Amino acid sequence: MTSENMADEYGRKWDRCLADTAVKTATGLGVGIVLSVLLFKRRMWPVSFGSGLGLGMGYSNCQHDFRSPYLIHGHTVKVNA
Amino acid sequence: MLGVCLRGAHATVRKNCVRSPLTPLQSYRCYSTSRSSGASRVVALGLVTVGGGVGGTLLYSKWDPKFRAAVEKNVPYSDWLLGLALGPAPEDARLPVRKQVRSGGEHLFTRKCKECHKHADVSETAAVASAEPLKERPVDEVTARLVQQDQEEEKLLASLSSRLEDSLASSAKATLQAIGAQEVALQAVTQHTRKLKDAMEAEAPSDEKSTQWKELEAALAERTAAVKDATTTLSKANEALEGLKSVINQAKGQKVAAARPLILAAEENLHQMVVDLDKVVSKVRSAESEAKVVSQYTELVNEAKQQFQREVSSLTPEIQANWKGLTGKLSVDDLNALIAHAHRRIDQLNRELAEQRVREQIHIEAALEQQKVEDHKVLDAAVTTAMGHVKEEARLNLEQKLAELREVMEAEMRTQLRRQAAAHTDHVRDVLKVQEQELRAEAEQVLNSKILDQETRYRQLTQEQLDNFTLDMNAAYARLKGIEEAIDSHAVAEETAREAHQLWLSVEALSYALKSAGADSPSMPLEDAAEAVRASCHDDFCSALASALPQESLQRGVYSEASLRARFNALRSLARRVALIDESRNSLYQYFLSYLQAALLFEDQQEAPPSQLSGADLDPFKLLSYASYCLEHGDLELAAKLVNQLRGEARRVVEDWLTEARLTLETRQVVSLLSAYANAAGLGTTQAP
């Protein structure tokens, strides 16, 4: 069960990651298209930019998610004497 | 080095050749042309370097022997080469010189010793005595030598003393003779003088006068004879004394100690004799001088008488010399003439008297002067003789005193030597006493030790006997006790057997409960079984074990090995896929790489693990194959250990499996321990029929 949880977790992470990346890329693409159409005279670059932006965000999120067990969080503790 | 140079040459050649496009012929030429210029230079340079290195090594090894030794040690065949070039190593060259020096020194010493042996032969006893300082000369030798020395001394002494005595006797005789002669002479002289005086002054008749004169002449002759005799004897005595002196000097030259008193006595005698002789001689001389005075006086008187006689005879030629008998025979004229002559004579005499009185002082002074001079001479002579005598006396006194002192010293030395001998005997006595005491102490010690040994042995034997008896008694008592205990323990054993049976039953129930695990589900909770085991436990070991079961297993139960095995297989692929990921490498790119690795890397499905893991075996793929092998062969423990070696993401992935495996292992271990214990207890209590 727990190992299934681990493997499941692994699988779940990947699912999340892919879904998130897809969503972000699509969103970026969409925004790019919109901006290109509205502001940048139907040039290609906002589209590629937006999609790239989305892909990159998704990638970064995915990476962070996979890295999360190894991240060290520091806390500042104020000592009230 | 040459090879390197050649290689370098080839490289340069190749470089040169490759640059230009070439045909085979050209290449050949290229080779040949390049070689002559570049290669030859390199070869020459290399040769120069090698020669320089070898030369430098030779020179430095010649100068520094340590460096030479190091070179010989490290480079093979270099010792042969260096020996050829430089000669043998300096260590060898040094030794012959030293040997020569040492042998030369020894030779000198032996020669010197020979000389000293020669010297020693002369006084070998002394050398022997000095070589062995503690050994004394043998007493006989010493006494013999002493006796010999004494004999020699005595002989010398005898000869000396005899000679001295002889010369002394002869000189004494001569001296006595001389003294006697001198005395006789003295007597003769005094007699003669007296007689002369009497003859002058006495108014005796002519007969007596003539007899007197004859006596006087006789006395004179006697005196002369005596004086002559005295002088001859004096000379003889002087000769004898001289001889004695020479003998004494000779004796002194011999330096024999015992003869000194003799010499001294002889010298004293000599001195005495000389003194006496001188005294007598001086007496004789004074008598002679007196006699001279008297003779002068007589001469003067005779002269005056003769003159008067002449005068009287000139006046009265017929009157005889003796005018006293003339009173009846003379006439008045003659008498008057005689009276006138007498008056004239009286006047003359008065005048002479006056003259004499005038010249008295001068004459007296002259006489005094003469007397003084003579007195001086006499005084000087007397003083010198007296000085000589006094000196001689002083010397004799000194010699006497020296002899006395020497005797005193000898006596003292004898006393000191006696004292030393006494001290030596005391010391020897003390040493002997000490030795005696030491020996006695040693003997006592030996005796005591022997007695002690005997006692200890006796005690040992008695102790042994006692020990043996005690042992027997103890053994019997122990046996009795054993029997009693055996009987008691029987009952106890029955009880424990029952308990053990119960325990065994409960443990069996527990192990059966373990087996109830399904394929994918854990076994039933082991709570009840554990409780039963705890109930049937009656000692700490068992209860400790029973309480050592992990909580999870008690509440939830444990998985079986088969289910774990199945899970592992599923897990393996996942672990392979994330093998490259760890704390430092965890980006998505790394994930991609890890996936690629897993896809491309093939390893054995199952591989037997080695007994010792090396660094290469810590590769996750290898570990997984080892673990899989272990699992297939039923060794869950080793598999868990191997899986524990995984690191990074792979470790995180298999963490749960690991925990489960640990749990199972723990429970199984406890159960196996308990069953072993129960079996042992049961076996212990089971009695064979």
Side-chain angles (χ1 to χ4, degrees), chain B residues 389-400:
Chain B
H389 287 159
V390 163
K391 268 192 199 151
E392 192 70 24
E393 261 186 56
R395 196 179 63 82
L396 285 172
N397 277 342
L398 185 71
E399 296 254 328
Q400 230 177 14

Side-chain angles (χ1 to χ4, degrees), chain B residues 570-616:
Chain B
L571 225 52
R572 188 179 168 166
S573 54
L574 185 57
R576 284 181 80 246
R577 253 185 281 151
V578 293
L580 215 54
I581 311 298
D582 61 15
E583 297 91 357
S584 52
R585 295 189 191 74
N586 48 24
S587 65
L588 279 177
Y589 178 60
Q590 298 289 343
Y591 271 96
F592 167 68
L593 285 177
S594 177
Y595 272 45
L596 196 63
Q597 187 189 45
L600 292 174
L601 214 133
F602 296 102
E603 83 276 9
D604 292 336
Q605 189 66 20
Q606 286 157 22
E607 195 183 327
S611 55
Q612 274 181 330
L613 283 178
S614 61

Side-chain angles (χ1 to χ4, degrees), chain B residues 483-498:
Chain B
I483 291 163
E484 277 180 14
E485 268 186 38
I487 295 167
D488 284 336
S489 63
H490 254 286
V492 171
E494 293 277 304
E495 185 67 34
T496 45
R498 202 176 50 76

Side-chain angles (χ1 to χ4, degrees), chain B residues 167-393:
Chain B
S167 55
L168 251 177
S170 63
S171 58
K173 227 193 299 176
T175 320
L176 279 171
Q177 261 183 5
I179 288 172
Q182 294 284 350
E183 298 230 320
V184 161
L186 183 73
Q187 287 258 341
V189 164
T190 46
Q191 210 177 18
H192 174 74
T193 322
R194 210 173 354 102
K195 281 214 171 110
L196 202 60
K197 265 199 208 151
D198 290 339
M200 286 299 102
E201 288 167 12
E203 298 288 339
S206 52
D207 319 331
E208 285 185 21
K209 266 279 175 163
S210 59
T211 51
Q212 252 184 358
W213 285 119
K214 274 191 197 141
E215 274 179 17
L216 207 63
E217 273 181 24
L220 181 68
E222 215 182 286
R223 172 191 156 173
T224 45
V227 164
K228 211 195 284 178
D229 197 21
T231 44
T232 49
T233 46
L234 184 68
S235 62
K236 261 196 228 159
N238 277 337
E239 267 181 36
L241 283 171
E242 288 290 315
L244 178 63
K245 215 184 254 181
S246 70
V247 163
I248 285 170
N249 284 337
Q250 209 180 25
K252 267 196 212 162
Q254 295 242 336
K255 289 194 185 173
V256 176
R260 263 195 224 109
L262 283 171
I263 290 167
L264 221 66
E267 275 184 358
E268 271 189 11
N269 282 335
L270 172 71
H271 176 66
Q272 204 64 40
M273 284 193 275
V274 163
V275 163
D276 290 338
L277 211 59
D278 285 341
K279 260 195 240 165
V280 163
V281 162
S282 64
K283 266 194 225 162
V284 166
R285 273 214 203 97
S286 63
E288 274 189 354
S289 64
E290 224 185 278
K292 208 191 280 178
V293 165
V294 171
S295 66
Q296 274 183 355
Y297 171 68
T298 49
E299 274 179 28
L300 276 170
V301 166
N302 277 341
E303 211 184 292
K305 262 198 197 159
Q306 276 176 12
Q307 202 174 356
F308 185 67
Q309 277 260 350
R310 262 186 268 129
E311 283 176 15
V312 169
S313 63
S314 71
L315 286 171
T316 55
E318 46 286 350
I319 297 168
Q320 284 174 1
N322 199 353
W323 58 278
K324 277 189 181 170
L326 288 175
T327 41
K329 292 172 190 171
L330 290 171
S331 61
V332 177
D333 290 334
D334 287 333
L335 276 169
N336 288 339
L338 205 65
I339 288 163
H341 176 76
H343 275 291
R344 268 207 301 272
R345 187 84 175 131
I346 287 164
D347 286 333
Q348 194 199 357
L349 283 173
N350 281 339
R351 252 184 281 140
E352 270 188 15
L353 193 62
E355 242 185 77
Q356 254 332 83
R357 269 204 201 114
V358 165
R359 284 199 196 130
E360 188 184 308
Q361 196 66 24
I362 296 165
H363 284 187
I364 283 172
E365 278 180 12
L368 273 172
E369 286 286 336
Q370 205 180 10
Q371 192 62 33
K372 250 192 225 167
V373 165
E374 278 190 24
D375 274 344
H376 262 295
K377 273 195 221 154
V378 166
L379 188 69
D380 286 341
V383 160
T384 44
T385 46
M387 279 277 288
H389 287 159
V390 163
K391 268 192 199 151
E392 192 70 24
E393 261 186 56

Side-chain angles (χ1 to χ4, degrees), chain B residues 660-671:
Chain B
E660 285 299 320
R662 270 205 206 104
L663 219 67
T664 312
L665 282 167
E666 260 187 65
T667 317
R668 272 213 307 204
Q669 187 183 47
V670 171
V671 166

Side-chain angles (χ1 to χ4, degrees), chain A residues 17-37:
Chain A
C17 178
L18 285 168
D20 189 44
T21 310
V23 164
K24 284 202 167 62
T25 314
T27 313
L29 187 74
V31 169
I33 287 170
V34 166
L35 282 176
S36 135
V37 160

Side-chain angles (χ1 to χ4, degrees), chain A residues 1-11 13-14 17 58-64 66-67 69-71, chain B residues 520 522 559 567 571 574 577-578 581-584 586-589 591 595 648-650 652-653 656-657 660:
Chain A
M1 283 166 269
T2 38
S3 90
E4 276 169 321
N5 275 343
M6 286 299 299
D8 244 10
E9 170 124 34
Y10 198 67
K13 268 192 187 169
W14 268 120
C17 178
Y59 183 90
S60 182
N61 270 358
C62 198
Q63 195 169 263
H64 182 79
F66 274 116
R67 265 193 192 162
Y70 296 114
L71 285 174
Chain B
D520 280 319
Y559 282 95
R567 263 170 64 182
L571 225 52
L574 185 57
R577 253 185 281 151
V578 293
I581 311 298
D582 61 15
E583 297 91 357
S584 52
N586 48 24
S587 65
L588 279 177
Y589 178 60
Y591 271 96
Y595 272 45
E649 186 68 28
R652 271 191 65 241
V653 156
D656 294 325
W657 184 88
E660 285 299 320

